[in-house]
Amino acid sequence: MDGEKVTIAGWVQNIRVLGSIVFLKVRDKEGVSQVTITKDNPNFSMVKDITPESVVAVTGVVRKSEKAQNGWELIPEEIKVLSKAEVPLPLDISGKIESEFETRLNARFMDLRNPRVAAVFAIRDCVTTAIRNYAESKGFIEVHTPKIVGAGAEGGALLFPVDYFGKKAFLSQSPQLYKQMIMATGFDKVYEIAPYFRAEKSDTSRHVAEFIMLDVEMAFIESQEDVMKFLEEGIKRVFEHVKKHREEELSILGIELEVPKLPFPRITYSEAVEKLGLKQGQEIGTEEEKKLGKIIEEEKGTGLYFITLFPEEEKPFYIMEAGDGLSYSFDLELGGEEIASGGQREHRYDELVKRIKKKGLKPENFAFYLNAFKYGMPPHGGFGLGVDRLVQKMLGLPNIREVVLHPRDLKRVLP
Ligand code: AMO
């Protein structure tokens, strides 16, 4: 484009005044360009007043330049300041001066001007695109279930109540009941990527009160193994897609992404507690889960594996019992943390009612859901995968909040 007239627009990354010459670095999402202003240029006097991070539009002629960073510079005819940035800035986007995480979250719009932070969100986008491509390629359709609901699906204590025209309603914890009801419609393979809400009272590095979940439900399965196969292949595809399409971002973050091999190891809950030296029936807590992650990594050389057949007591009412106090359930683990859970569902009306009662719940509160099991409900199963957790663990980040644009937690509801 040597000699061509162009207009570029973006943020002023820095201004260097060297006596009779000024270098203006202008950044947009594609990269950084150099604008060179010599003393004889009519813009010379105004350019020194431009503050860093102001938004400018520069019209000028492209000139080949050996010295400029990317091999060319722009000789400006006109420089317009579209928005002047205040001084000082809320944080140093070069990352040279490290800011508190709270400061970064308060000025997230500016935090994302740091290429390392932007890289995380570009990768996150690639993850959801890969999920959609994969699900659609397998004949799944995306559905949209309600986010204001009359009953919780995943335990009462974690519900956010909503005043719904004078009646009590809740923010949805998961689309569980709705995705299952769709199995009675004829749409036999559905997915949804959407926000869900849980009033998590504990302040941890892996929980937020609003998170994005990928939900999948599929009918006419023969066992939960069908669901696990779909999930593991999907995870592999996500890694492949990110590796292929976000090479630059991965290199900014210094990450060498390894595409996992199929099939992922499967260990039963019973084997897991044995490895951990726990009693059968005991819950695998956060610390034990991490320990198990290390054991499996050493034994099988992967951080991605399934734990299957949990005690039915530990799993929700909608999971099918497998006999001997067990259930057709699974968790998918990555780096010592659960990123997804699912299983085969109880599709037989009478058995489902029994399970609801067994969990101390009232079938009449689930009448709208149970109704769908009375008139032809195929065997089915599915899972829920935490998209935020997947991205966090994939990139080895210490806190889930790093991958959430505006995290919602015990302390934070703004911005
Ligand atoms: P579960 O409650 O295990 O299962 O949730 C599924 C996945 O969602 C993610 N997740 C969270 N991520 C961030 N912050 C939170 N507070 C949070 N809570 C959950 C996790 C978890 O593995 N209905 C079932 C799924 C199913 O059986 O289809 C369910 O919701 O990654």
Side-chain angles (χ1 to χ4, degrees), residues 56-146:
V56 296
V58 184
T59 301
V61 175
V62 176
R63 198 168 68 182
K64 237 173 121 171
S65 158
E66 301 282 298
K67 285 189 207 133
Q69 204 178 351
N70 46 13
W72 59 273
E73 61 190 348
L74 193 62
I75 310 301
E77 284 171 12
E78 185 185 34
I79 301 177
K80 273 194 220 158
V81 177
L82 303 180
S83 168
K84 187 174 176 183
E86 280 184 25
V87 183
L89 299 169
L91 45 92
D92 171 28
I93 63 159
S94 73
K96 280 184 199 127
I97 304 164
E98 215 172 300
S99 304
E100 295 277 329
F101 195 28
E102 292 297 305
T103 310
R104 289 176 44 207
L105 290 177
N106 286 339
R108 201 56 152 162
F109 63 90
M110 183 150 280
D111 190 35
L112 263 86
R113 295 185 200 176
N114 177 338
R116 286 183 62 83
V117 182
V120 170
F121 288 90
I123 290 169
R124 192 186 157 110
D125 155 70
C126 198
V127 166
T128 49
T129 303
I131 292 172
R132 288 208 167 88
N133 290 350
Y134 172 65
E136 299 282 337
S137 78
K138 294 276 180 180
F140 282 71
I141 62 161
E142 187 165 20
V143 293
H144 301 282
T145 60

XYZ file of all heavy atoms in Angstrom, residues 56-146:
715
model
N -8.205 8.242 18.493
C -7.916 9.164 17.397
C -8.228 8.517 16.044
O -8.287 7.294 15.943
C -6.424 9.603 17.396
C -6.078 10.391 18.654
C -5.494 8.396 17.243
N -8.447 9.393 15.046
C -8.544 8.921 13.659
C -7.478 9.673 12.878
O -7.391 10.904 12.971
C -9.926 9.198 13.097
N -6.670 8.939 12.166
C -5.566 9.568 11.439
C -5.716 9.275 9.948
O -5.806 8.112 9.550
C -4.198 9.028 11.924
C -3.044 9.756 11.231
C -4.065 9.126 13.433
N -5.751 10.353 9.140
C -5.773 10.183 7.691
C -4.421 10.628 7.156
O -3.907 11.687 7.558
C -6.891 11.047 7.072
O -8.125 10.641 7.659
C -6.967 10.869 5.560
N -3.845 9.786 6.310
C -2.532 10.134 5.787
C -2.074 9.174 4.722
O -2.850 8.331 4.260
N -0.803 9.286 4.379
C -0.247 8.465 3.298
C 0.686 7.408 3.896
O 1.513 7.702 4.762
C 0.504 9.367 2.284
C 1.190 8.526 1.204
C -0.456 10.360 1.659
N 0.522 6.182 3.411
C 1.357 5.066 3.872
C 2.741 5.190 3.245
O 2.863 5.467 2.054
C 0.719 3.715 3.445
C 1.610 2.540 3.828
C -0.675 3.555 4.027
N 3.771 4.967 4.076
C 5.130 5.015 3.528
C 5.932 3.824 4.055
O 5.868 3.519 5.245
C 5.806 6.316 3.947
C 7.015 6.639 3.085
C 7.489 8.045 3.319
N 8.056 8.183 4.665
C 8.507 9.332 5.150
N 8.409 10.448 4.438
N 9.020 9.395 6.357
N 6.607 3.185 3.143
C 7.463 2.068 3.546
C 8.556 2.596 4.459
O 9.099 3.670 4.218
C 8.119 1.488 2.280
C 7.841 0.022 2.094
C 8.376 -0.425 0.766
C 9.384 -1.531 1.016
N 9.804 -2.166 -0.203
N 8.860 1.860 5.510
C 9.903 2.332 6.411
C 10.606 1.151 7.056
O 9.975 0.292 7.665
C 9.283 3.235 7.482
O 10.118 3.283 8.607
N 11.901 1.118 6.880
C 12.698 0.023 7.459
C 12.660 0.102 8.983
O 12.657 -0.904 9.674
C 14.163 0.153 7.008
C 14.352 0.127 5.502
C 14.275 -1.281 4.941
O 15.122 -2.101 5.330
O 13.348 -1.551 4.133
N 12.617 1.360 9.480
C 12.770 1.543 10.925
C 11.494 1.256 11.712
O 11.545 0.884 12.877
C 13.221 2.985 11.202
C 14.684 3.197 10.861
C 15.142 4.554 11.344
C 16.282 5.069 10.494
N 16.094 6.448 10.075
N 10.340 1.466 11.065
C 9.072 1.260 11.786
C 8.901 -0.223 12.111
O 9.336 -1.085 11.342
C 7.902 1.768 10.964
N 8.224 -0.481 13.227
C 8.103 -1.838 13.771
C 7.547 -2.844 12.757
O 8.049 -3.941 12.615
C 7.195 -1.778 14.990
C 7.411 -2.910 15.960
C 6.512 -2.754 17.179
O 5.855 -1.732 17.387
N 6.481 -3.777 17.988
N 6.490 -2.434 12.031
C 5.896 -3.404 11.106
C 6.201 -3.086 9.635
O 5.503 -3.506 8.740
C 4.391 -3.529 11.352
C 3.716 -2.187 11.481
O 4.330 -1.162 11.143
N 2.488 -2.149 11.940
N 7.251 -2.289 9.417
C 7.725 -2.071 8.052
C 7.091 -0.901 7.316
O 7.424 -0.623 6.166
N 6.166 -0.209 7.958
C 5.583 0.963 7.307
C 5.143 1.987 8.363
O 4.978 1.656 9.537
C 4.401 0.591 6.413
C 3.264 -0.089 7.120
C 3.119 -1.412 7.362
C 2.111 0.551 7.684
N 1.948 -1.649 8.043
C 1.315 -0.468 8.247
C 1.671 1.877 7.757
C 0.103 -0.206 8.894
C 0.466 2.139 8.393
C -0.308 1.099 8.955
N 5.001 3.210 7.914
C 4.531 4.268 8.819
C 3.489 5.096 8.076
O 3.350 4.991 6.857
C 5.711 5.145 9.271
C 6.416 5.840 8.127
C 7.728 6.507 8.520
O 8.008 6.627 9.725
O 8.460 6.918 7.620
N 2.769 5.905 8.849
C 1.742 6.741 8.243
C 2.157 8.206 8.417
O 2.501 8.631 9.524
C 0.412 6.462 8.957
C -0.854 6.994 8.299
C -1.054 6.372 6.929
C -2.062 6.676 9.190
N 2.145 8.955 7.294
C 2.477 10.384 7.362
C 1.136 11.129 7.358
O 0.421 11.115 6.356
C 3.340 10.818 6.142
C 4.538 9.852 5.970
C 3.789 12.270 6.281
C 5.479 9.754 7.168
N 0.789 11.739 8.494
C -0.589 12.228 8.628
C -0.868 13.546 7.904
O -0.031 14.437 7.871
C -0.727 12.423 10.130
C 0.647 12.709 10.606
C 1.586 11.974 9.709
N -2.066 13.612 7.320
C -2.566 14.886 6.798
C -3.489 15.481 7.848
O -3.538 16.669 8.059
C -3.337 14.652 5.490
C -2.385 14.397 4.335
C -3.105 13.950 3.073
O -4.345 14.035 2.993
O -2.400 13.487 2.154
N -4.270 14.579 8.486
C -5.210 15.067 9.498
C -5.235 14.097 10.684
O -5.275 12.884 10.491
C -6.614 15.152 8.896
C -7.606 15.764 9.840
C -9.046 15.736 9.289
O -9.397 14.767 8.581
O -9.794 16.652 9.599
N -5.187 14.655 11.894
C -5.339 13.817 13.099
C -6.534 14.360 13.873
O -6.544 15.527 14.279
C -4.081 13.865 14.000
C -2.845 13.377 13.232
C -4.294 13.030 15.266
C -1.542 13.454 14.008
N -7.564 13.516 14.032
C -8.750 13.940 14.788
C -8.758 13.224 16.128
O -8.605 11.996 16.167
C -10.022 13.532 14.040
C -10.501 14.538 13.028
C -11.930 14.164 12.649
C -12.140 14.357 11.156
N -13.232 13.604 10.619
N -8.954 13.993 17.209
C -9.108 13.344 18.512
C -10.611 13.085 18.693
O -11.402 14.014 18.814
C -8.552 14.226 19.648
C -8.796 13.568 21.009
C -7.060 14.471 19.437
N -10.997 11.827 18.649
C -12.434 11.481 18.747
C -12.886 11.420 20.207
O -14.056 11.618 20.510
C -12.700 10.129 18.071
C -12.280 10.015 16.602
C -12.591 8.625 16.064
C -12.967 11.073 15.742
N -11.941 11.113 21.098
C -12.279 11.038 22.528
C -10.986 11.151 23.319
O -10.092 10.317 23.169
C -12.977 9.707 22.813
O -13.070 9.497 24.191
N -10.915 12.199 24.146
C -9.671 12.417 24.891
C -9.709 11.644 26.202
O -10.691 11.701 26.936
C -9.516 13.913 25.167
C -8.196 14.264 25.786
C -7.998 15.753 25.915
C -6.684 16.003 26.639
N -6.434 17.401 26.864
N -8.643 10.896 26.489
C -8.591 10.104 27.732
C -8.081 10.965 28.876
O -7.161 11.766 28.704
C -7.685 8.903 27.538
N -8.706 10.768 30.044
C -8.272 11.494 31.245
C -6.932 10.958 31.733
O -6.558 9.829 31.440
C -9.303 11.298 32.363
C -10.509 12.184 32.216
C -11.467 12.037 33.390
O -11.028 11.656 34.501
O -12.655 12.302 33.184
N -6.264 11.765 32.527
C -4.981 11.381 33.135
C -5.169 11.463 34.659
O -5.799 12.421 35.114
C -3.860 12.352 32.694
C -2.524 11.911 33.260
C -3.816 12.452 31.177
N -4.671 10.558 35.488
C -3.987 9.317 35.107
C -4.987 8.236 34.729
O -6.174 8.339 35.018
C -3.248 8.938 36.396
C -4.129 9.440 37.491
C -4.776 10.693 36.961
N -4.469 7.166 34.112
C -5.321 6.034 33.734
C -5.587 5.161 34.970
O -4.755 5.120 35.882
C -4.608 5.201 32.663
C -4.300 5.930 31.361
C -3.363 5.107 30.489
C -5.582 6.264 30.602
N -6.731 4.461 34.997
C -7.022 3.619 36.182
C -6.065 2.445 36.361
O -5.911 1.932 37.455
C -8.453 3.116 35.940
C -8.771 3.411 34.515
C -7.849 4.484 34.039
N -5.443 2.012 35.267
C -4.429 0.955 35.412
C -3.480 0.963 34.224
O -3.765 1.557 33.184
C -5.067 -0.427 35.594
C -6.219 -0.865 34.706
C -5.708 -1.603 33.488
C -7.098 -1.812 35.522
N -2.340 0.292 34.432
C -1.326 0.224 33.384
C -1.615 -0.990 32.507
O -1.459 -2.127 32.939
C 0.061 0.092 34.033
C 1.140 -0.207 33.003
O 0.959 0.196 31.830
O 2.132 -0.864 33.359
N -2.049 -0.717 31.261
C -2.478 -1.855 30.438
C -1.310 -2.661 29.873
O -1.492 -3.759 29.382
C -3.418 -1.436 29.275
C -2.714 -0.510 28.309
C -4.702 -0.860 29.800
C -3.383 -0.490 26.959
N -0.120 -2.124 29.967
C 1.029 -2.898 29.472
C 1.312 -4.044 30.431
O 2.004 -5.000 30.095
C 2.260 -2.008 29.351
O 2.762 -1.722 30.636
N 0.756 -3.936 31.642
C 0.962 -5.007 32.623
C 2.295 -4.872 33.341
O 2.639 -5.695 34.183
N 3.078 -3.813 32.996
C 4.397 -3.652 33.649
C 4.211 -3.342 35.125
O 4.932 -3.825 35.980
C 5.183 -2.525 32.964
C 5.837 -3.007 31.681
C 6.697 -1.936 31.050
C 6.938 -2.259 29.590
N 6.590 -1.173 28.686
N 3.213 -2.460 35.405
C 2.880 -2.212 36.803
C 1.661 -3.082 37.086
O 0.593 -2.873 36.505
C 2.516 -0.731 37.039
C 3.663 0.164 36.563
C 2.173 -0.474 38.506
C 3.271 1.608 36.383
N 1.836 -4.066 37.956
C 0.745 -5.005 38.197
C -0.365 -4.358 39.024
O -0.088 -3.666 40.009
C 1.283 -6.238 38.912
C 0.549 -7.479 38.445
C 1.178 -8.738 38.991
O 2.375 -8.974 38.701
O 0.470 -9.442 39.702
N -1.601 -4.539 38.593
C -2.727 -3.969 39.339
C -3.401 -5.056 40.148
O -3.381 -6.221 39.774
C -3.752 -3.390 38.373
O -3.166 -2.451 37.536
N -4.028 -4.648 41.243
C -4.855 -5.569 42.039
C -5.961 -6.100 41.133
O -6.463 -5.360 40.267
C -5.523 -4.794 43.179
C -4.572 -4.219 44.201
C -4.188 -5.244 45.245
O -5.032 -6.104 45.531
O -3.048 -5.202 45.733
N -6.404 -7.318 41.356
C -7.477 -7.904 40.544
C -8.756 -7.059 40.670
O -9.462 -6.825 39.692
C -7.711 -9.356 40.963
C -8.520 -10.143 39.961
C -8.502 -9.831 38.608
C -9.305 -11.208 40.369
C -9.243 -10.559 37.676
C -10.056 -11.939 39.456
C -10.026 -11.608 38.116
N -9.020 -6.561 41.890
C -10.212 -5.730 42.119
C -10.165 -4.472 41.246
O -11.163 -4.077 40.651
C -10.296 -5.309 43.595
C -10.581 -6.453 44.553
C -11.942 -7.104 44.297
O -12.937 -6.377 44.309
O -11.992 -8.332 44.071
N -8.987 -3.856 41.160
C -8.821 -2.637 40.337
C -9.077 -2.979 38.873
O -9.734 -2.229 38.157
C -7.375 -2.094 40.499
O -7.088 -2.021 41.880
C -7.195 -0.751 39.829
N -8.579 -4.124 38.461
C -8.777 -4.553 37.070
C -10.254 -4.786 36.778
O -10.760 -4.391 35.731
C -7.982 -5.840 36.801
C -6.475 -5.635 36.758
C -5.755 -6.963 36.584
N -6.412 -7.772 35.572
C -6.395 -9.102 35.533
N -5.729 -9.781 36.450
N -7.026 -9.753 34.589
N -10.944 -5.428 37.720
C -12.372 -5.706 37.493
C -13.195 -4.422 37.506
O -14.176 -4.290 36.782
C -12.907 -6.688 38.541
C -12.395 -8.127 38.424
C -12.946 -8.984 39.554
C -12.758 -8.756 37.078
N -12.778 -3.454 38.329
C -13.500 -2.173 38.369
C -13.353 -1.420 37.055
O -14.225 -0.636 36.691
C -12.984 -1.299 39.516
C -13.463 -1.811 40.864
O -14.458 -2.539 40.933
N -12.759 -1.453 41.919
N -12.246 -1.622 36.369
C -12.011 -0.946 35.083
C -11.794 -2.018 34.008
O -10.822 -1.995 33.269
C -10.793 -0.035 35.186
N -12.723 -2.952 33.937
C -12.574 -4.096 33.030
C -12.444 -3.633 31.576
O -11.731 -4.247 30.789
C -13.787 -5.015 33.193
C -13.619 -6.451 32.747
C -12.480 -7.213 33.368
N -12.753 -8.642 33.429
C -11.834 -9.578 33.608
N -10.575 -9.236 33.752
N -12.169 -10.857 33.657
N -13.148 -2.536 31.217
C -13.061 -2.008 29.840
C -11.612 -1.715 29.481
O -11.190 -1.867 28.341
C -13.921 -0.733 29.691
C -13.457 0.394 30.568
C -12.524 1.302 30.115
C -13.937 0.518 31.874
C -12.069 2.322 30.924
C -13.499 1.540 32.685
C -12.554 2.440 32.215
N -10.839 -1.276 30.479
C -9.442 -0.949 30.213
C -8.545 -2.171 30.371
O -7.572 -2.345 29.629
C -8.989 0.169 31.143
C -7.576 0.587 30.853
S -7.236 2.283 31.209
C -7.886 3.100 29.795
N -8.915 -3.032 31.311
C -8.164 -4.275 31.534
C -8.065 -5.078 30.233
O -7.031 -5.665 29.932
C -8.903 -5.078 32.616
C -8.105 -6.265 33.117
O -6.863 -6.157 33.203
O -8.732 -7.298 33.416
N -9.144 -5.056 29.446
C -9.166 -5.831 28.204
C -8.319 -5.214 27.093
O -8.143 -5.808 26.035
C -10.600 -6.064 27.712
C -11.139 -7.449 28.135
C -11.741 -7.405 29.519
C -12.099 -7.987 27.127
N -7.784 -4.002 27.354
C -6.847 -3.449 26.370
C -5.474 -4.098 26.513
O -4.616 -3.924 25.654
C -6.752 -1.926 26.557
C -8.068 -1.225 26.261
C -7.916 0.277 26.337
N -9.213 0.922 26.526
C -9.379 2.209 26.700
N -8.332 3.024 26.715
N -10.581 2.708 26.874
N -5.266 -4.801 27.631
C -4.034 -5.572 27.813
C -4.136 -6.832 26.948
O -5.069 -7.622 27.087
C -3.918 -5.932 29.305
C -2.701 -6.796 29.599
O -2.152 -7.479 28.732
N -2.275 -6.750 30.846
N -3.177 -7.043 26.028
C -3.286 -8.180 25.101
C -3.422 -9.534 25.786
O -4.060 -10.439 25.257
C -1.979 -8.124 24.300
C -1.412 -6.782 24.543
C -1.974 -6.238 25.815
N -2.837 -9.678 26.965
C -2.943 -10.965 27.679
C -4.379 -11.224 28.116
O -4.867 -12.346 28.054
C -2.021 -10.981 28.913
C -0.543 -11.123 28.566
C 0.283 -11.198 29.843
N -0.057 -12.361 30.661
C 0.425 -13.568 30.472
N 1.267 -13.789 29.479
N 0.069 -14.559 31.262
N -5.037 -10.173 28.561
C -6.428 -10.330 29.009
C -7.337 -10.530 27.793
O -8.210 -11.402 27.785
C -6.867 -9.109 29.857
C -8.292 -9.291 30.355
C -5.911 -8.892 31.021
N -7.099 -9.731 26.746
C -7.912 -9.860 25.523
C -7.787 -11.273 24.945
O -8.761 -11.843 24.444
C -7.473 -8.820 24.497
N -6.582 -11.842 25.052
C -6.344 -13.188 24.500
C -7.272 -14.211 25.168
O -7.813 -15.095 24.503
C -4.883 -13.599 24.706
N -7.471 -14.077 26.474
C -8.340 -15.002 27.207
C -9.758 -14.953 26.637
O -10.390 -15.990 26.402
C -8.361 -14.655 28.721
C -9.438 -15.440 29.451
C -6.993 -14.889 29.341
N -10.241 -13.745 26.365
C -11.628 -13.621 25.889
C -11.765 -14.022 24.422
O -12.827 -14.497 24.006
C -12.173 -12.224 26.206
C -12.430 -12.083 27.680
C -11.451 -11.614 28.538
C -13.629 -12.516 28.219
C -11.654 -11.559 29.915
C -13.853 -12.475 29.586
C -12.870 -11.984 30.436
N -10.703 -13.853 23.648
C -10.745 -14.323 22.255
C -10.773 -15.860 22.239
O -11.452 -16.474 21.418
C -9.536 -13.800 21.489
N -10.057 -16.464 23.175
C -10.051 -17.933 23.261
C -11.418 -18.420 23.748
O -11.964 -19.401 23.241
C -8.902 -18.419 24.182
C -7.558 -18.160 23.492
C -9.071 -19.898 24.537
C -6.340 -18.333 24.342
N -11.991 -17.697 24.699
C -13.311 -18.062 25.219
C -14.349 -18.086 24.076
O -15.167 -18.983 23.965
C -13.710 -17.038 26.293
C -14.898 -17.471 27.086
C -15.374 -16.380 28.041
N -16.747 -16.673 28.306
C -17.238 -17.115 29.474
N -16.465 -17.211 30.510
N -18.499 -17.427 29.592
N -14.276 -17.073 23.226
C -15.178 -17.016 22.061
C -14.989 -18.258 21.186
O -15.953 -18.862 20.707
C -14.896 -15.743 21.250
C -15.302 -15.898 19.799
O -16.517 -15.949 19.546
O -14.422 -16.008 18.931
N -13.727 -18.633 20.994
C -13.409 -19.788 20.145
C -13.975 -21.077 20.740
O -14.406 -21.973 20.007
C -11.892 -19.863 20.021
S -11.324 -20.858 18.667
N -13.978 -21.155 22.073
C -14.509 -22.337 22.762
C -16.005 -22.484 22.476
O -16.476 -23.556 22.087
C -14.240 -22.253 24.287
C -15.059 -23.280 25.061
C -12.754 -22.430 24.572
N -16.770 -21.403 22.615
C -18.219 -21.528 22.401
C -18.541 -21.750 20.920
O -19.476 -22.477 20.589
C -18.999 -20.316 22.959
O -18.394 -19.120 22.514
C -19.044 -20.339 24.471
N -17.735 -21.156 20.031
C -17.941 -21.412 18.597
C -17.711 -22.888 18.297
O -18.498 -23.526 17.579
C -16.968 -20.563 17.746
O -17.177 -19.195 18.079
C -17.186 -20.749 16.262
N -16.645 -23.435 18.870
C -16.325 -24.853 18.632
C -17.449 -25.751 19.156
O -17.819 -26.733 18.502
C -15.006 -25.216 19.307
N -17.984 -25.402 20.317
C -19.077 -26.213 20.892
C -20.274 -26.195 19.940
O -20.852 -27.232 19.628
C -19.498 -25.670 22.286
C -18.376 -25.884 23.313
C -20.798 -26.330 22.757
C -18.597 -25.214 24.658
N -20.635 -24.993 19.469
C -21.795 -24.883 18.565
C -21.571 -25.664 17.281
O -22.448 -26.405 16.844
C -22.067 -23.412 18.230
C -22.643 -22.660 19.377
C -23.525 -21.482 18.943
N -24.268 -21.046 20.109
C -23.815 -20.155 20.983
N -22.646 -19.569 20.795
N -24.531 -19.833 22.050
N -20.379 -25.492 16.688
C -20.076 -26.212 15.440
C -20.211 -27.713 15.646
O -20.787 -28.424 14.814
C -18.638 -25.942 14.981
C -18.444 -24.519 14.494
O -19.418 -23.775 14.321
N -17.203 -24.109 14.299
N -19.664 -28.174 16.759
C -19.662 -29.615 17.048
C -21.094 -30.118 17.246
O -21.506 -31.103 16.621
C -18.803 -29.878 18.288
C -18.888 -31.300 18.787
C -18.413 -32.359 18.012
C -19.443 -31.589 20.033
C -18.499 -33.676 18.464
C -19.531 -32.904 20.492
C -19.065 -33.936 19.699
O -19.155 -35.228 20.148
N -21.852 -29.430 18.103
C -23.216 -29.884 18.403
C -24.069 -29.894 17.130
O -24.780 -30.857 16.843
C -23.847 -29.000 19.473
N -23.961 -28.833 16.330
C -24.759 -28.750 15.098
C -24.342 -29.868 14.132
O -25.189 -30.461 13.464
C -24.612 -27.382 14.427
C -25.080 -26.193 15.292
C -26.597 -26.009 15.353
O -27.292 -26.476 14.435
O -27.075 -25.391 16.331
N -23.029 -30.151 14.080
C -22.548 -31.189 13.153
C -23.079 -32.572 13.541
O -23.128 -33.477 12.722
C -21.015 -31.201 13.102
O -20.494 -31.867 14.240
N -23.460 -32.721 14.803
C -23.984 -34.011 15.270
C -25.514 -34.033 15.286
O -26.119 -34.917 15.893
C -23.465 -34.303 16.686
C -21.968 -34.525 16.758
C -21.622 -35.973 16.425
C -20.127 -36.205 16.491
N -19.759 -37.579 16.185
N -26.126 -33.023 14.679
C -27.581 -33.018 14.553
C -28.322 -32.472 15.769
O -29.524 -32.708 15.919
N -27.620 -31.746 16.642
C -28.296 -31.132 17.795
C -28.868 -29.778 17.397
O -28.324 -29.097 16.526
C -27.298 -30.923 18.948
C -27.002 -32.185 19.705
C -26.240 -33.199 19.125
C -27.488 -32.373 20.987
C -25.974 -34.375 19.815
C -27.233 -33.543 21.684
C -26.467 -34.545 21.094
N -29.958 -29.379 18.044
C -30.473 -28.033 17.819
C -30.391 -27.253 19.126
O -30.500 -27.824 20.220
C -31.924 -28.018 17.277
C -32.903 -28.644 18.279
C -32.034 -28.699 15.932
C -34.338 -28.253 18.026
N -30.194 -25.941 18.993
C -30.098 -25.111 20.208
C -31.491 -24.681 20.641
O -32.307 -24.272 19.822
C -29.210 -23.884 19.995
C -28.995 -23.157 21.313
C -27.863 -22.131 21.337
O -27.440 -21.672 20.258
O -27.428 -21.790 22.443
N -31.743 -24.799 21.948
C -33.036 -24.370 22.495
C -32.791 -23.255 23.508
O -31.659 -23.025 23.922
C -33.766 -25.550 23.184
C -34.187 -26.599 22.178
C -32.902 -26.169 24.281
N -33.855 -22.559 23.874
C -33.740 -21.479 24.866
C -34.794 -21.691 25.936
O -35.971 -21.470 25.690
C -33.892 -20.112 24.201
C -32.861 -19.889 23.142
N -31.566 -19.544 23.445
C -32.912 -20.021 21.806
C -30.862 -19.462 22.323
N -31.656 -19.747 21.310
N -34.356 -22.153 27.095
C -35.283 -22.430 28.196
C -35.417 -21.173 29.067
O -34.563 -20.300 29.014
C -34.755 -23.618 29.025
O -33.464 -23.267 29.532
C -34.666 -24.883 28.196
N -36.498 -21.085 29.877
C -36.694 -19.864 30.662
C -35.639 -19.681 31.752
O -35.132 -20.670 32.297
C -38.075 -20.064 31.292
C -38.337 -21.519 31.243
C -37.585 -22.061 30.066
